[in-house]
Amino acid sequence: MAKVCAVFGGSRGIGRAVARLLAQKGYRLAIVARNLEMAKAAAGDLGDGHLAFSCDVAKEHDVQSTFEEMEKHLGRVNFLVNAAGVNRDSLLVRTKTEDMISQLHTNLLGSMLTCKAAVKTMIQQQQGSIVNIGFVHTDMTKDLKEEHLKKNIPLQRFGEPIEVAHAVVFLLESPYITGHVLVVDGGLQLVM
């Protein structure tokens, strides 16, 4: 079976780190982002055989069309990484309703739609892996009040994208692990 992986949100941050690691391990990658130019740049950095696609994960038709294009050009997607997300972090009373809706559509609905599209092929193949990613320190979270948050983490620092990438690859390549939540948080869960 060819190792074809779609990395949604693969043009930067955690998704890009995951894509780099998977490319080194011989996966053929579909780098998917809203911004096609950024996706092309990320795919180009990985070498030959990797393609870029533009997709708004909050739109079911976009997701379905993207999976059809990936399959046409790369083969059946048997690995999916959901790293696409937006951050509209603010005090609730100051957050605009449209920002809340945008965040829910991208971060929650988007992951559900990509999983729905990927599972169809995976069921037919009777195999496949999906990893949905939370957050660590990336350019998307750079505006958070770092010092206050780091004091609560036993390792006293945020995780790096490559540290999450190693966990993602472990889960993708562990076919007997299913329905598991792997917490990669520097021990934060231990003190909560």
Short mmCIF file of all heavy atoms in Angstrom, two decimals, residues 14 18 133 135-136 159-169 184:
data_model
loop_
_atom_site.label_atom_id
_atom_site.label_comp_id
_atom_site.label_asym_id
_atom_site.label_seq_id
_atom_site.Cartn_x
_atom_site.Cartn_y
_atom_site.Cartn_z
N ILE A 14 2.50 23.24 13.11
CA ILE A 14 2.52 21.81 13.39
C ILE A 14 2.36 21.00 12.12
O ILE A 14 3.09 20.03 11.88
CB ILE A 14 1.42 21.43 14.40
CG1 ILE A 14 1.66 22.11 15.75
CG2 ILE A 14 1.36 19.91 14.58
CD1 ILE A 14 0.49 22.01 16.70
N VAL A 18 4.91 18.15 10.72
CA VAL A 18 4.45 16.78 10.47
C VAL A 18 4.79 16.38 9.03
O VAL A 18 5.31 15.30 8.77
CB VAL A 18 2.94 16.63 10.73
CG1 VAL A 18 2.41 15.31 10.22
CG2 VAL A 18 2.63 16.81 12.21
N ILE A 133 -5.13 17.21 15.61
CA ILE A 133 -4.15 17.88 16.46
C ILE A 133 -4.77 19.04 17.21
O ILE A 133 -5.54 19.82 16.65
CB ILE A 133 -2.97 18.38 15.61
CG1 ILE A 133 -2.27 17.19 14.96
CG2 ILE A 133 -1.98 19.17 16.44
CD1 ILE A 133 -1.24 17.55 13.95
N PHE A 135 -3.32 22.15 20.12
CA PHE A 135 -2.39 23.26 19.88
C PHE A 135 -1.18 23.20 20.77
O PHE A 135 -1.20 22.71 21.88
CB PHE A 135 -3.09 24.61 19.94
CG PHE A 135 -3.08 25.40 21.23
CD1 PHE A 135 -1.96 25.51 22.03
CD2 PHE A 135 -4.19 26.10 21.61
CE1 PHE A 135 -1.95 26.27 23.18
CE2 PHE A 135 -4.19 26.88 22.76
CZ PHE A 135 -3.09 26.96 23.54
N VAL A 136 -0.06 23.70 20.21
CA VAL A 136 1.14 24.03 20.96
C VAL A 136 1.55 25.41 20.46
O VAL A 136 0.85 26.04 19.68
CB VAL A 136 2.31 23.02 20.74
CG1 VAL A 136 1.96 21.67 21.31
CG2 VAL A 136 2.74 22.96 19.31
N GLY A 159 5.48 23.33 23.91
CA GLY A 159 5.98 22.31 23.00
C GLY A 159 6.30 22.93 21.65
O GLY A 159 5.74 23.95 21.26
N GLU A 160 7.22 22.31 20.94
CA GLU A 160 7.58 22.75 19.60
C GLU A 160 6.84 21.90 18.57
O GLU A 160 6.53 20.74 18.84
CB GLU A 160 9.09 22.62 19.40
CG GLU A 160 9.92 23.52 20.30
CD GLU A 160 9.68 25.00 20.03
OE1 GLU A 160 9.44 25.37 18.86
OE2 GLU A 160 9.71 25.79 20.98
N PRO A 161 6.58 22.45 17.40
CA PRO A 161 5.89 21.69 16.37
C PRO A 161 6.52 20.33 16.08
O PRO A 161 5.81 19.33 15.91
CB PRO A 161 5.93 22.61 15.16
CG PRO A 161 5.92 23.98 15.75
CD PRO A 161 6.78 23.85 16.98
N ILE A 162 7.84 20.23 16.06
CA ILE A 162 8.49 18.96 15.75
C ILE A 162 8.22 17.92 16.85
O ILE A 162 8.13 16.72 16.57
CB ILE A 162 10.01 19.14 15.51
CG1 ILE A 162 10.63 17.84 14.96
CG2 ILE A 162 10.72 19.58 16.77
CD1 ILE A 162 10.12 17.41 13.62
N GLU A 163 8.04 18.37 18.09
CA GLU A 163 7.74 17.43 19.17
C GLU A 163 6.35 16.82 18.98
O GLU A 163 6.14 15.63 19.23
CB GLU A 163 7.85 18.14 20.53
CG GLU A 163 9.29 18.53 20.84
CD GLU A 163 9.43 19.42 22.06
OE1 GLU A 163 8.67 20.40 22.19
OE2 GLU A 163 10.30 19.12 22.89
N VAL A 164 5.42 17.62 18.52
CA VAL A 164 4.09 17.11 18.22
C VAL A 164 4.14 16.23 16.97
O VAL A 164 3.48 15.19 16.91
CB VAL A 164 3.08 18.27 18.03
CG1 VAL A 164 1.71 17.73 17.66
CG2 VAL A 164 2.99 19.09 19.32
N ALA A 165 4.97 16.61 16.00
CA ALA A 165 5.10 15.83 14.76
C ALA A 165 5.54 14.40 15.06
O ALA A 165 5.03 13.45 14.47
CB ALA A 165 6.08 16.51 13.81
N HIS A 166 6.47 14.22 15.97
CA HIS A 166 6.91 12.87 16.34
C HIS A 166 5.75 12.05 16.92
O HIS A 166 5.61 10.86 16.62
CB HIS A 166 8.08 12.92 17.32
CG HIS A 166 9.38 13.28 16.67
ND1 HIS A 166 10.06 12.43 15.84
CD2 HIS A 166 10.10 14.42 16.72
CE1 HIS A 166 11.16 13.01 15.40
NE2 HIS A 166 11.20 14.23 15.92
N ALA A 167 4.92 12.69 17.73
CA ALA A 167 3.76 11.99 18.30
C ALA A 167 2.76 11.63 17.21
O ALA A 167 2.18 10.54 17.22
CB ALA A 167 3.10 12.85 19.38
N VAL A 168 2.56 12.53 16.26
CA VAL A 168 1.62 12.28 15.16
C VAL A 168 2.09 11.09 14.33
O VAL A 168 1.31 10.19 14.02
CB VAL A 168 1.47 13.54 14.27
CG1 VAL A 168 0.72 13.21 12.99
CG2 VAL A 168 0.77 14.65 15.04
N VAL A 169 3.36 11.07 13.98
CA VAL A 169 3.90 9.96 13.18
C VAL A 169 3.78 8.65 13.96
O VAL A 169 3.42 7.62 13.39
CB VAL A 169 5.35 10.24 12.75
CG1 VAL A 169 5.98 9.01 12.10
CG2 VAL A 169 5.39 11.42 11.79
N VAL A 184 0.14 15.57 24.56
CA VAL A 184 1.51 16.06 24.39
C VAL A 184 1.50 17.49 24.91
O VAL A 184 1.27 18.44 24.16
CB VAL A 184 1.94 16.00 22.90
CG1 VAL A 184 3.39 16.44 22.74
CG2 VAL A 184 1.74 14.60 22.34
#
